[in-house]
Amino acid sequence: MANALYDFGREGFLDGSIDWDTNDTRVILIDEADDTVDLAADDNLDDRAAGSRVATSSAMGSKTVTAGVADAADVTLSAVTGDPSESIDIYKHTGTESTSRLICNIDTATGLPVTPNGGDITIAWDSGANKIFKL
Amino acid sequence: MIVDERSTINVAPVEGGRVGLRLSDKARGLMDWSTAQAIARELRALAGAAIGMVFYKFNLDGAPVYIDFDTATAQALADALYKVSLVAEEEAKAERIALDTAILYRAGAPIGLSNHPVIIDEARKEAAWNTELRRCMPGGVKSEETFGTPSVLLGPAPTIQ
C-alpha cells in the first residue's frame, strides 16, 4: 500500500478530537501478518489486533504543526523482541484502547520490514519538507 | 490606397447568449457557453488572418479607417489575439475542464487542468458532489496528504554476558 492517514484519523483532525502537538501520541510497530490494516474502517487502537502490536513507544516528543506539517522527535523503541514488523502506526494514546484514535499507518520506510533482534529500534522521521506527514 | 476587401475582418456581435462568462453559475446545466465559444472562434480566426495582414479596415462613425501594418506588427497582433483566444477557449470550455479536473481529483491525482481559480473551485465541488462521479468512482475524493519517508534503524542485538 502506501503511507496514509486513517480515515478516522483525518476526521479527528477536522473535528478537533486530535490535537497533534498537545495530545499524547505514540508509535507502534505492527506485524501486518497478524492484522491487516483497514484505513477506512479501523478507528481506534482496539481495531489493531493485540497480537500484531510488536512494540509501543512512550509519548512522542517535540511535536510541531507548522504549515500543516506534522513533525516530532525521532522515536526509540527499547529492547524490541517479537515478530517481523511491516508497518508503523501512530495513534492518540488515551489509556483506553477503544478511544485511542488511530492516526496514520506507515508501511513505506527505509528499513521496513524490520525483524527485532532484542536491541533498540529507532524511527528517524524524514527531515525533508513533509517530515512525518503533511496535511 | 488600394483596398483589398479580403483583409477586412468584421466581428459581428453574437446574438443570443450572454456576453459575460458566468462561471459562478452553481447549478450544472445552466451554464451557457455558446457566446464564449463564438468569441473564441472569432479570436482564433482573427489571429490567423492577422499573420498575413498588411492593413486593417474598420468603420468609425460611418467612415472607413485603414491601418497599415508591417510584418512584425501583424505577427505581434496575431500572437496577442491567439493568446486571448486561448483564454476565451478555456472559459468557453470551463465546464468540461472542471469536470475533467474533478475526475482527476476523485481518482487521487490532484492535477489541475486549468489555473483559473473559479474553474478549479468548481472542479472541487464536482469531485465531491457530482452524483454520476460519486456513483462511478465511489470512495470519496482521495486525500492529498503527503508523507515523508522515515528510516527504521535496527540497533545491535544485546550481547549475552
Side-chain angles (χ1 to χ4, degrees):
Chain A
M1 290 183 49
N3 301 343
L5 292 175
Y6 284 95
D7 282 358
F8 285 92
R10 192 179 294 114
E11 184 179 310
F13 283 117
L14 288 177
D15 68 17
S17 58
I18 297 174
D19 187 330
W20 174 258
D21 56 350
T22 61
N23 287 159
D24 178 349
T25 57
R26 303 187 179 198
V27 170
I28 304 182
L29 272 182
I30 296 288
D31 176 11
E32 292 288 344
D34 289 341
D35 181 84
T36 303
V37 65
D38 187 336
L39 293 168
D42 293 346
D43 56 357
N44 293 308
L45 184 57
D46 59 350
D47 286 334
R48 301 310 311 256
S52 70
R53 301 177 217 155
V54 176
T56 303
S57 75
S58 55
M60 298 167 72
S62 304
K63 287 180 289 182
T64 60
V65 298
T66 305
V69 178
D71 195 13
D74 294 347
V75 173
T76 298
L77 303 162
S78 301
V80 181
T81 59
D83 293 337
S85 303
E86 292 80 20
S87 74
I88 299 164
D89 271 359
I90 298 178
Y91 74 102
K92 172 185 171 181
H93 178 78
T94 64
T96 304
E97 291 189 7
S98 61
T99 61
S100 291
R101 185 69 67 91
L102 294 165
I103 296 176
C104 68
N105 177 264
I106 296 170
D107 62 1
T108 303
T110 305
L112 282 181
V114 61
T115 301
N117 61 6
D120 294 350
I121 292 177
T122 299
I123 300 166
W125 305 117
D126 195 332
S127 59
N130 297 323
K131 308 295 184 184
I132 302 175
F133 58 82
K134 177 182 180 181
L135 294 178
Chain B
M1 175 182 286
I2 299 172
V3 176
D4 182 354
E5 291 297 333
R6 289 174 300 180
S7 297
T8 303
I9 299 170
N10 296 311
V11 182
V14 180
E15 298 177 358
R18 299 185 294 255
V19 173
L21 299 175
R22 295 179 55 179
L23 288 170
S24 59
D25 282 341
K26 296 296 188 293
R28 293 187 58 230
L30 294 182
M31 298 182 191
D32 178 6
W33 306 110
S34 57
T35 302
Q37 286 172 332
I39 292 171
R41 281 196 297 270
E42 288 290 348
L43 287 169
R44 190 67 57 83
L46 273 171
I51 294 174
M53 191 181 291
V54 290
F55 66 88
Y56 181 65
K57 171 193 173 189
F58 63 96
N59 293 324
L60 181 64
D61 294 334
V65 177
Y66 301 96
I67 302 175
D68 291 320
F69 286 96
D70 57 34
T71 305
T73 305
Q75 185 64 51
L77 177 62
D79 290 345
L81 287 168
Y82 184 72
K83 288 176 184 174
V84 173
S85 77
L86 291 180
V87 173
E89 185 177 9
E90 180 187 38
E91 299 202 346
K93 295 177 179 174
E95 189 175 20
R96 185 179 302 172
I97 294 171
L99 280 171
D100 288 346
T101 305
I103 292 171
L104 290 173
Y105 283 170
R106 200 154 179 98
I111 303 167
L113 300 180
S114 166
N115 57 5
H116 195 305
V118 177
I119 293 175
I120 295 301
D121 188 45
E122 202 66 26
R124 289 200 182 99
K125 291 175 196 163
E126 292 289 342
W129 299 110
N130 183 292
T131 306
E132 292 173 22
L133 281 184
R134 292 168 73 187
R135 185 180 298 124
C136 298
M137 303 174 73
V141 178
K142 300 294 182 294
S143 178
E144 298 178 23
E145 79 258 5
T146 51
F147 277 74
T149 304
S151 300
V152 177
L153 310 171
L154 182 62
T159 55
I160 299 172
Q161 300 292 326

